[in-house]
Structure formats: structure tokens, C-alpha cells
Amino acid sequence: RTLEGDCAFYAALRATEVDLARLGKAWEELHACYQNSTAHNLEEEGAADARFHMAIAEASHNVVLLHTLHSCYRLFENGVFLNRGRLYHHTSARAEVLKQHKAVFEAIAAGDPKLAQRCAEEHIDYVRATLAATEQQDQREKLAGLRRTQASDRAVKK
């Protein structure tokens, strides 16, 4: 959350025309992935998402933030950092994530560092909360399944 927020803040302050063009291209690629509603390719979306966030980090012109996020996105690309499939169990999550990415992009393009930071932090907060809710639901379903199995075993023994 802090890294993403700081990257967006500094990108809004420091992005050059070249940075904004690269970020714009990354946004367009990400948007295109989301618009292809007939084929939700989670791997492709994940890669486009990582490129978008890396373009923000590059536009921040902060080497420490860039290298730190680069390491995080290696995990991301390997499916450890974020599981998109689990995130999208929530029906509105896909549209919400796209809306959040757009807000971050627009705040950076407008040169509004505080808004860019807030949008990036809210995006990370949303993803974390949505994944946590999915995990809680999975645990409830697992317990319910265990109870059903135990009830069936008791019924068979009678």
C-alpha cells in the first residue's frame, strides 16, 4: 500500500512526457484486457496489470521504489502476490479494479500527487479487503462441508 501510494505520488510529480506516454500505453493494454469480456485471460490480465504498475514506478523516478516494486512483481507474475481468480469471485471486483486503475492513471496524468496517492492506496485497500473476504468465505464453506460430512457419517452409523 505504501509503496504503491508513494510511486503514484511521485509519478504525478515527476513523470515526463515519455513516462506519461509509456503509462498511457500500459493503461490502454490493461483496459483492452478488461474489455475483452468473452475471454477473461487471467494470466494476460495479470501481466498487463504488472506492466501498468511498473510504468507508474518508473515514472516516479525513485530508484528504491522501482527496484522494490520490481521484486514484488516477480512474485505477482508467479501467482504468489495476487490471485486474480480469487479476487474475481466477487462479481463487481473486475469492474471496480478497472475503475480504480483508471483513477490512478488519470490522477497521475493530471499531475495531482495527493489524489494519485489516495487512489493507489484505495486500490490496494480494496484488493486486500476483497481477497480477505474471499478467504473468509472459503473458510466458512470448508467448515460447512466438514459439518455436512460429519452429519452424513453419523447418519450412516445409526
Side-chain angles (χ1 to χ4, degrees):
R1 180 181 195 270
T2 301
L3 293 171
E4 291 285 353
D6 286 353
C7 281
F9 180 91
Y10 288 114
L13 278 178
R14 300 174 177 166
T16 66
E17 290 300 317
V18 172
D19 294 321
L20 292 174
R22 184 180 310 117
L23 182 57
K25 183 175 187 258
W27 159 247
E28 289 170 11
E29 290 173 358
L30 181 60
H31 186 257
C33 285
Y34 278 80
Q35 294 307 305
N36 186 359
S37 60
T38 58
H40 297 303
N41 183 333
L42 298 181
E43 187 175 321
E44 183 181 323
E45 285 180 19
D49 193 308
R51 286 191 301 273
F52 176 74
H53 285 274
M54 285 308 299
I56 293 170
E58 290 167 357
S60 76
H61 293 274
N62 183 308
V63 177
V64 173
L65 290 173
L66 177 61
H67 287 297
T68 302
L69 280 176
H70 186 67
S71 297
C72 290
Y73 287 117
R74 283 193 194 130
L75 295 173
F76 176 85
E77 289 171 346
N78 291 324
V80 174
F81 190 76
L82 174 65
N83 185 327
R84 297 183 89 72
R86 293 178 56 72
L87 177 66
Y88 293 156
H89 275 105
H90 293 265
T91 56
S92 64
R94 203 162 186 279
E96 185 61 29
V97 167
L98 180 62
K99 184 173 109 179
Q100 292 166 1
H101 281 127
K102 182 179 182 185
V104 173
F105 169 67
E106 289 176 346
I108 292 170
D112 188 334
K114 289 186 188 264
L115 179 60
Q117 182 176 36
R118 187 174 75 243
C119 290
E121 289 173 349
E122 287 173 356
H123 167 60
I124 298 302
D125 290 343
Y126 174 82
V127 169
R128 278 195 324 203
T130 303
L131 287 173
T134 300
E135 180 64 31
Q136 289 172 352
Q137 180 63 28
D138 288 349
Q139 290 299 319
R140 286 190 293 271
E141 288 175 8
K142 190 176 185 179
L143 287 170
L146 181 59
R147 283 188 211 104
R148 279 191 300 271
T149 302
Q150 290 171 346
S152 294
D153 290 348
R154 284 192 302 271
V156 168
K157 289 178 182 178
K158 288 182 180 183

